[in-house]
Structure formats: structure tokens, C-alpha cells
């Protein structure tokens, strides 16, 4: 019975992810893999956990817990997907009025906010997006209520308890790490943010979310990183580290017609698809290289590992490999050698300051999501992100930015782990992003699959088990 459940869950997860490459009917997938979304399957996994607990076999217990969590999250996220399907249509159909009286739809407002060189136009579009988002706000709030009720049905006070039970991560401890990181990087961030914003026509006194996004976008003009060079440069970056960009023939590469770059792990380690979207700008290059690394990690996961150790386990582990490789294009040495940037010091400083803004934004968003789960209204919770980024976060858009079931937590943990791994690689190989020994290290690490949660994996590899101090140090060193 459990073996059939494992097979169905693995098939459903892979085909669901593959739908980003080739759209698939979720109903047909549910028909093909009925045990993946069955309450009976989840109960069978829970019974296996209960039976394994007194046996004193930690590896067996770990695998049964991973299967239980995988089944629970599959069912919870499928329910979320079904319940939230109406929200995108509502947003696209919503309308708002700009200050000059011009009516605009969601897509037009987003394009104006993201692409207008005039700050006043971007600010007006962002305010109008807040108004337009009200069309889906009641649905978003209803989804949050559904999560709370589902957690209570499962015996927890709210979704925080269910998350902690399934993923084994104490949210209070993680929130404390996030707050400590924000405090440690506060002064360096404030000084460097002021410098970056002035370079892009705004100031810290009046900064809003669109100012940070515009600064990232404008690096496309200030750094020579055109899209037609993207594929060759990123392939070269992987080869510098001694990695085969094709993952030994296991990574199927093609071009995505629209952003972002997508990795679809249909079978791990079998069919790994990378759809690379060519874009201008180092931030886009960094994100694409990170996704490429996540695909390579899946491609080099041994086929002989149990299903739980290939595709389940700690969700932050594959994200950490992506976050690690995404650090490479931000390094001053890389900018100087690969892009021949004459003022590499200023370029690296700007990219690192914007990266710090992103990570601080993740920390603030996690705190906001915890507040929302505790019953805080979105307007109050949005202040967490504003405080973290020092740029006004639109309260009316918080429910659109927040993630269900604290997925932000894993992105933040992955960013910290990447900093810890980068520090380890720097100690061992110095300029690790152009040392072939790095590739040997990564292949050995990827061969471990997802057998260990992130802290245990870091400890096994020789990095700091608690990576958050490394995260703060990395930014402070680069912005000093």
C-alpha cells in the first residue's frame, strides 16, 4: 500500500511541476494518481509514522514523516489552487482610475508601474493597483480563513501549528532569527539604500516598493548584460565551477517565451526541464543561474535513493542550491572578469544592496505572514515589510504578495543557507565561482539528495548549522 502511495505521489508531483512546461488538466492528473490526493493515503502515512515511533529506527521514521508531510502538502496546496483559481480572473477584470482620470486594468497598471521612467507615474500605478486588488481581497481573506479552519480541523490552533508539525520548523525561532538579521544589517542597509536610491531618481525619505523594483530594473542600462549574451555567459559560469551545464545529458534545455526561467523536475533524477528566458540585466541573469543550479541538483540526485530522499524532505534544500548559484553574478570579481565592468566596485555595491533589500523583504514578509496567521489585519502586517525594506509596502497588495502556508519561510532559510555555503566554499577554494573544485564539492553534495533537513545538511558539508550569522556577515563584508 505505502509503495503504491509513494509512486502516485511522485508521479503527481512531477507532472504537476511539468505543467509549467506543458499545461495539463489537474483533474486528469488526479484521475491518473488518485492515491496522491487521498485522505486515506495521508492516514496510512500517519499510521506508518505512529508504528515507526516506538521501533527506534530513525531513518525509517524520518522517511515516513517525509511521506506524511508530502501527502498533506499535496492535498492542502491542491485545495488552495482550486479555491484561489478565481483570483487571477478577478484581478485581470478589475479597474482603477489614475489621477488624471484615465481608467486602467490590472495588466496596464502593472506595466506602467514596472516600466515607466517617471516616478510619479509608477507611484500612481502602484496606488491604483492597491485599489484594483480590492476586487480579490475578500477571496484572499476567505482563503486565509479556510487555512485556519483546516488547521483547526487537524487539531491545531491555526496554520502555524500545522506548518511546524509537517515541516518541523519552529516559527518563533525562525522569526527571532529574521529579526536579529534585520537588526544586524540595519545600519549598513540604510546607508547603502540611500546611495542606491539617489542613483535612480528617488530617496529614502519617500521610497516605495516600486522604487526598489525600478532600481533593479535600471541596472539593465548601467551594466553591460544584454539578453543575447545570457546563455553563453551562464554556461561559462557553470563551466568555470567545473559543472556540466547539461547535467550529463539529464537536463533538457529550451527557451521560455515569457519570464521567468522555469525548472520542471518531472522525474528526479530523470526528466529535468530548464526553460531559460533570455533577459537583460544582472539580476535576471543571477535568478536564471540559480534556477539552472536547482535543475542540476535534481539531475545529479542518485536514482537509487528512496523516493522520499529524492523529491520530498526539507523544501528549503533545493531552494538553497538555487540561492547559492544566484550569488555568483553579484560578485565584484565576476563582474570585472566576465562583464568587463570598469567600475566593478560601484556595480557590485549596488547589486549587493539590492540583494540585501530583497532578503530583508523576505524577512519582513515572513513576519507579516506570521502576524496575519495570528489575526493581524493586512494593513498592520504590511508595516513589517515597510520597516524591513525602508520603502513603503502597499498594504492593499500584501495578500497578493504573501504565500500560503509560510512558503516564504523556506525562501528565507535558503538565502541564509546559501550564504553559509558560500562562506564554506570561499574558505576551501578561495574564488569558488571560478574554481573547478567547486563542481566536485557540489556534485558530492547533490548526491546526498534530500535525506537531511537543511541544518543537518549544512553540518554534514562543514558549513554553519545555523546559517543566519553568515547571511548578515556576507552583506556587511560586501557593503563595508
Amino acid at each position: 500500500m505505502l509503495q503504491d502511495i509513494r509512486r502516485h505521489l511522485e508521479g503527481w508531483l512531477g507532472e504537476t511541476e511539468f505543467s509549467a512546461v506543458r499545461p495539463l488538466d489537474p483533474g486528469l492528473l488526479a484521475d491518473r494518481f488518485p492515491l496522491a490526493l487521498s485522505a486515506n493515503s495521508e492516514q496510512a502515512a500517519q499510521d506508518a509514522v505512529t508504528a515507526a515511533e516506538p521501533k527506534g529506527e530513525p531513518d525509517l521514521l524520518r522517511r515516513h514523516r517525509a511521506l506524511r508531510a508530502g501527502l498533506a502538502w499535496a492535498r492542502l496546496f491542491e485545495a488552495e489552487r482550486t479555491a484561489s483559481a478565481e483570483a487571477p480572473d478577478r484581478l485581470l477584470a478589475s479597474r482603477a482610475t489614475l489621477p488624471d482620470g484615465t481608467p486602467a486594468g490590472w495588466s496596464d497598471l502593472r506595466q506602467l508601474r514596472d516600466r515607466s521612467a517617471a516616478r510619479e507615474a509608477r507611484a500612481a500605478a502602484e496606488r491604483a493597483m492597491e485599489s484594483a486588488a480590492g476586487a480579490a481581497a475578500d477571496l484572499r481573506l476567505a482563503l486565509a480563513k479556510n487555512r485556519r479552519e483546516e488547521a483547526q480541523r487537524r487539531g491545531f490552533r491555526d496554520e502555524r501549528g500545522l506548518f511546524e508539525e509537517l515541516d518541523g520548523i519552529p516559527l518563533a525561532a525562525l522569526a527571532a532569527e529574521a529579526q536579529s538579521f534585520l537588526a544586524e544589517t540595519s545600519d549598513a542597509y540604510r546607508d547603502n539604500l540611500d546611495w542606491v536610491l539617489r542613483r535612480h531618481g528617488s530617496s529614502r525619505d519617500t521610497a516605495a516598493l516600486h522604487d526598489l523594483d525600478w532600481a533593479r530594473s535600471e541596472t539593465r542600462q548601467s551594466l553591460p548584460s544584454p539578453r543575447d549574451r545570457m546563455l553563453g555567459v551562464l554556461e561559462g559560469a557553470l563551466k568555470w565551477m567545473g559543472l556540466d551545464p547539461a547535467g550529463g545529458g539529464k537536463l533538457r534545455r529550451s527557451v521560455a517565451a515569457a519570464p521567468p526561467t522555469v525548472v520542471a523536475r518531472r522525474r528526479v533524477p530523470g526528466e529535468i526541464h530548464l526553460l531559460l528566458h533570455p533577459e537583460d540585466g544582472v539580476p535576471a541573469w543571477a535568478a536564471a543561474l540559480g534556477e539552472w543550479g536547482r535543475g542540476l541538483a535534481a539531475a545529479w540526485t542518485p536514482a537509487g535513493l528512496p523516493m522520499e530522499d529524492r523529491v520530498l524532505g526539507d523544501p528549503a534544500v533545493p531552494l538553497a542550491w538555487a540561492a547559492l548559484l544566484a550569488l555568483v553574478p553579484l560578485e565584484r570579481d565576476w563582474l570585472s572578469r566576465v562583464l568587463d565592468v570598469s567600475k566593478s566596485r560601484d556595480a557590485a555595491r549596488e547589486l549587493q544592496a539590492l540583494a540585501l533589500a530583497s532578503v530583508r523583504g523576505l524577512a519582513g514578509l515572513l513576519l507579516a505572514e506570521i502576524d496575519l496567521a495570528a489575526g493581524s489585519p493586512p494593513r498592520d502586517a504590511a508595516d513589517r515589510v515597510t520597516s524591513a525594506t525602508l520603502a513603503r509596502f502597499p498594504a492593499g497588495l500584501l495578500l497578493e504578495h504573501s504565500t500560503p502556508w509560510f512558503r516564504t519561510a523556506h525562501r528565507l532559510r535558503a538565502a541564509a543557507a546559501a550564504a553559509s555555503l558560500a562562506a564554506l566554499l570561499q574558505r576551501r577554494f578561495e574564488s569558488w565561482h571560478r574554481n573547478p573544485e567547486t563542481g566536485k564539492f557540489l556534485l558530492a553534495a547533490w548526491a546526498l539528495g534530500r535525506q537531511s533537513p537543511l541544518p543537518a545538511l549544512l553540518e554534514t558539508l562543514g558549513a554553519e548549522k545555523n546559517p543566519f550569522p553568515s547571511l548578515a556577515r556576507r552583506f556587511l563584508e560586501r557593503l563595508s
Side-chain angles (χ1 to χ4, degrees):
M1 175 67 173
L2 283 182
Q3 190 56 35
D4 289 338
I5 291 172
R6 290 187 181 99
R7 180 170 53 82
H8 277 228
L9 179 60
E10 181 174 16
W12 184 84
L13 289 171
E15 295 297 335
T16 298
E17 193 164 327
F18 185 62
S19 64
V21 178
R22 186 181 304 153
L24 300 170
D25 184 342
L28 293 178
L29 282 184
D31 290 341
R32 284 177 60 193
F33 306 106
L35 296 180
L37 301 175
S38 165
N40 290 335
S41 295
E42 189 179 343
Q43 184 59 55
Q46 176 60 61
D47 292 343
V49 169
T50 303
E53 284 174 338
K55 292 183 178 180
E57 298 181 37
D59 188 59
L60 179 65
L61 180 59
R62 174 188 59 78
R63 287 178 54 200
H64 286 334
R65 283 176 173 165
L67 180 62
R68 178 188 63 178
L71 289 163
W73 286 131
R75 298 183 65 225
L76 290 167
F77 276 102
E78 180 61 13
E80 184 89 17
R81 183 198 64 78
T82 302
S84 63
E86 184 184 346
D89 292 336
R90 283 199 192 182
L91 287 176
L92 289 175
S94 63
R95 293 289 183 271
T97 304
L98 294 171
D100 63 358
T102 304
W106 181 264
S107 297
D108 294 333
L109 292 172
R110 183 159 200 134
Q111 185 172 22
L112 181 63
R113 176 200 174 276
D114 291 347
R115 298 188 181 183
S116 176
R119 185 177 186 275
E120 295 79 4
R122 296 197 309 272
E126 190 165 85
R127 289 191 297 270
M129 287 178 70
E130 280 194 87
S131 174
D138 60 334
L139 178 57
R140 298 298 188 197
L141 290 171
L143 288 170
K145 181 181 178 183
N146 290 346
R147 288 181 217 120
R148 176 182 293 264
E149 291 175 349
E150 177 62 21
Q152 290 172 346
R153 189 184 67 78
R154 291 167 175 261
F156 301 93
R157 181 177 180 182
D158 54 42
E159 55 265 47
R160 291 172 294 179
L162 181 55
F163 170 84
E164 292 177 342
E165 171 68 16
L166 293 178
D167 283 352
I169 300 164
L171 277 173
L174 184 58
E177 294 285 7
Q179 290 171 325
S180 177
F181 167 74
L182 291 172
E184 288 183 58
T185 58
S186 177
D187 291 343
Y189 178 63
R190 183 180 294 104
D191 293 342
N192 284 278
L193 177 68
D194 199 43
W195 175 77
V196 168
L197 290 175
R198 287 201 307 271
R199 288 165 65 93
H200 295 280
S202 55
S203 73
R204 186 162 53 83
D205 293 337
T206 59
L209 176 65
H210 66 85
D211 290 308
L212 293 177
D213 290 341
W214 179 249
R216 292 186 189 95
S217 176
E218 270 208 313
T219 60
R220 295 178 303 181
Q221 308 299 325
S222 58
L223 295 177
S225 45
R227 68 188 66 192
D228 57 359
R229 291 188 60 203
M230 183 179 183
L231 177 61
V233 170
L234 296 188
E235 282 189 338
L238 293 168
K239 291 176 181 177
W240 261 11
M241 290 182 278
L243 293 170
D244 175 7
K250 302 171 188 175
L251 194 67
R252 303 186 180 189
R253 291 175 289 169
S254 56
V255 176
T261 290
V262 171
V263 169
R265 301 160 300 171
R266 193 177 191 182
R267 295 187 184 90
V268 175
E271 294 183 44
I272 314 297
H273 296 257
L274 173 71
L275 275 68
L276 184 77
H277 179 67
E279 289 188 75
D280 298 330
V282 173
W285 287 23
L289 186 61
E291 287 303 288
W292 204 326
R294 188 166 70 93
L296 289 174
W300 289 111
T301 299
L305 288 176
M307 185 277 284
E308 294 89 338
D309 297 338
R310 287 183 285 111
V311 297
L312 298 180
D314 190 337
V317 170
L319 298 177
W321 298 126
L324 173 66
L325 292 195
L327 296 176
V328 172
L330 309 183
E331 290 294 327
R332 180 183 177 186
D333 181 55
W334 192 91
L335 293 168
S336 177
R337 289 175 179 271
V338 177
L339 298 184
D340 195 27
V341 176
S342 58
K343 295 183 178 180
S344 58
R345 181 184 179 88
D346 282 354
R349 179 188 177 190
E350 181 167 350
L351 290 170
Q352 293 290 345
L354 291 171
L356 178 54
S358 295
V359 178
R360 286 178 63 92
L362 277 179
L365 185 58
L366 173 63
L367 297 174
E369 290 175 358
I370 293 173
D371 286 352
L372 288 172
S376 292
R379 183 165 299 279
D380 291 346
D383 289 342
R384 292 282 203 173
V385 190
T386 296
S387 176
T389 61
L390 302 182
R392 176 189 173 271
F393 187 87
L397 297 179
L398 179 63
L399 297 177
E400 294 300 322
H401 280 75
S402 61
T403 61
W405 302 107
F406 305 107
R407 297 296 95 182
T408 298
H410 298 311
R411 293 172 58 201
L412 180 61
R413 296 171 62 234
S420 182
L421 288 165
L424 171 65
L425 291 171
Q426 188 68 32
R427 291 194 300 271
R428 291 193 180 180
F429 310 127
E430 294 185 352
S431 296
W432 61 272
H433 56 274
R434 53 188 179 90
N435 189 330
E437 294 300 312
T438 295
K440 297 177 182 178
F441 173 91
L442 291 174
L443 291 178
W446 294 339
L448 299 174
R450 296 170 65 173
Q451 301 174 64
S452 302
L454 193 56
L457 176 63
L458 293 175
E459 192 172 30
T460 297
L461 297 175
E464 290 182 89
K465 185 177 181 179
N466 176 12
F468 279 91
S470 284
L471 183 62
R473 279 197 302 273
R474 180 175 181 81
F475 282 119
L476 293 177
E477 288 169 359
R478 281 155 178 76
L479 294 173
S480 61

